[in-house]
Amino acid sequence: MFVTIFYEFVDVALVFANLFIAWQVELFKKYNVGHLLSLLESNVSFWASLIHSVLIHQVYNPIKDELTFLFGGKKMRFGCCEFCILTGLQYAGKEEISGGSNRLLDKYGNKGKLKRLELLEAFRQCSNVEDQVKLGVAYLVESLLFAKSPITLIDPKILAIVDDVAAFNKVCWGKLSWEFLVPKLKESIFKKRTKFEGGYSLHGFYDVVSIYAMETIPELQKVGVVRIRNEGFPRILNWNMVGKGGYATLAATVFKQVFISYLYVILLFYSF
């Protein structure tokens, strides 16, 4: 089984590490996705064997924007609320991306169009410190929240709205990102394939599946997962990976005798 991905968690974070000065970091954090810069302090990265091990425990759920997993004989829900608690992204707000202007696209685009790779290059080469932050926010949204092939065109509405922080912060980025991700996760397991198709592609903020597993399955701390904080929100900043067990290790050590952290369920209930 092979899994195709369209970003590497650490790579996206490192894009900002050596380019932003302190003033730019503060400006970036005025956006309601700015807390994700703190991922630079963690060692969270793509863990294919864990994500696949979780996804194959998926059972049918007729609710289109919700997942159900069967761990240790217990059914576990994974919905938009959990996603937002894990990522710290906004659940409530405008569901329409609108506002800002076409200024950035006109200035840095190619005849009104821009691919994700071209957006990254524009961000790296930008000499205007404020515009660089705005291009960085757009790159983070396109590369994490709505990750897809780097050669696809970015959504011009995203590049427009980053030019207006107030308008940007009214959008429920958590809900929109979840709605983009969840059908991809369902398709990864339940989509019918030909005998020539041995793997699947992951789109969206798929690393959250790993964080969800870390929060719900304490046994993962036996195979290289370390809790570095105990903050209630966002949970994604609580974890480090010092090692990554493969499929066989996870199957033998974690998923044969898995115990669900009911504390996680209780914390979810009281978080909203």
Side-chain angles (χ1 to χ4, degrees):
M1 175 63 66
F2 61 86
V3 181
T4 302
I5 62 172
F6 292 109
Y7 74 86
E8 173 58 72
F9 206 57
V10 175
D11 290 345
V12 174
L14 289 177
V15 164
F16 304 99
N18 299 318
L19 290 176
F20 276 179
I21 58 177
W23 178 84
Q24 288 178 300
V25 171
E26 292 306 310
L27 181 57
F28 194 100
K29 288 185 175 181
K30 289 183 179 180
Y31 291 85
N32 61 10
V33 299
H35 63 280
L36 293 176
L37 273 184
S38 298
L39 292 172
L40 286 169
E41 302 169 11
S42 70
N43 191 33
V44 174
S45 59
F46 180 64
W47 191 349
S49 54
L50 176 58
I51 292 176
H52 182 66
S53 296
V54 171
L55 291 179
I56 62 175
H57 284 78
Q58 189 177 164
V59 295
Y60 177 71
N61 186 330
I63 302 174
K64 69 176 183 178
D65 61 348
E66 185 177 293
L67 302 174
T68 300
F69 299 104
L70 188 63
F71 296 141
K74 304 292 185 181
K75 285 186 177 181
M76 294 295 294
R77 174 185 181 273
F78 189 17
C80 189
C81 287
E82 290 86 351
F83 177 82
C84 291
I85 290 171
L86 293 173
T87 61
L89 294 171
Q90 191 164 307
Y91 176 80
K94 288 178 57 180
E95 296 187 29
E96 180 185 1
I97 302 173
S98 60
S101 69
N102 292 326
R103 182 185 68 84
L104 292 173
L105 187 59
D106 292 339
K107 185 175 181 179
Y108 299 102
N110 180 15
K111 298 180 180 178
K113 298 178 181 179
L114 202 61
K115 296 178 181 178
R116 197 178 93 198
L117 283 176
E118 294 171 336
L119 173 61
L120 175 59
E121 188 60 24
F123 164 74
R124 285 174 167 161
Q125 299 298 325
C126 186
S127 58
N128 183 302
V129 290
E130 289 191 26
D131 281 359
Q132 188 179 43
V133 171
K134 293 173 181 179
L135 293 173
V137 173
Y139 179 72
L140 183 141
V141 171
E142 283 281 349
S143 300
L144 288 184
L145 276 57
F146 305 108
K148 45 191 177 293
S149 172
I151 62 172
T152 56
L153 294 173
I154 67 168
D155 185 343
K157 292 182 291 186
I158 291 175
L159 201 57
I161 201 171
V162 296
D163 213 15
D164 185 338
V165 180
F168 185 96
N169 288 344
K170 291 178 182 178
V171 176
C172 53
W173 294 106
K175 187 173 184 180
L176 295 180
S177 181
W178 172 252
E179 289 175 350
F180 180 82
L181 172 66
V182 67
K184 315 299 181 185
L185 296 181
K186 287 192 173 188
E187 289 172 8
S188 65
I189 299 301
F190 294 118
K191 180 182 177 181
K192 291 183 178 180
R193 295 182 178 83
T194 70
K195 63 181 179 180
F196 301 106
E197 296 178 304
Y200 53 88
S201 298
L202 291 175
H203 301 252
F205 204 168
Y206 43 76
D207 271 310
V208 176
V209 175
S210 296
I211 306 302
Y212 174 81
M214 294 173 200
E215 287 282 346
T216 56
I217 307 173
E219 277 69 22
L220 283 170
Q221 296 183 49
K222 298 177 182 178
V223 291
V225 172
V226 178
R227 182 184 286 276
I228 57 174
R229 298 181 183 87
N230 198 29
E231 300 296 328
F233 181 84
R235 306 289 178 85
I236 200 169
L237 302 180
N238 287 348
W239 298 95
N240 246 337
M241 297 175 182
V242 296
K244 297 179 183 178
Y247 295 112
T249 299
L250 290 172
T253 308
V254 177
F255 288 98
K256 276 193 175 180
Q257 293 182 336
V258 63
F259 299 92
I260 302 304
S261 171
Y262 289 99
L263 176 62
Y264 170 79
V265 181
I266 293 170
L267 286 172
L268 281 182
F269 181 81
Y270 285 106
S271 294
F272 279 83

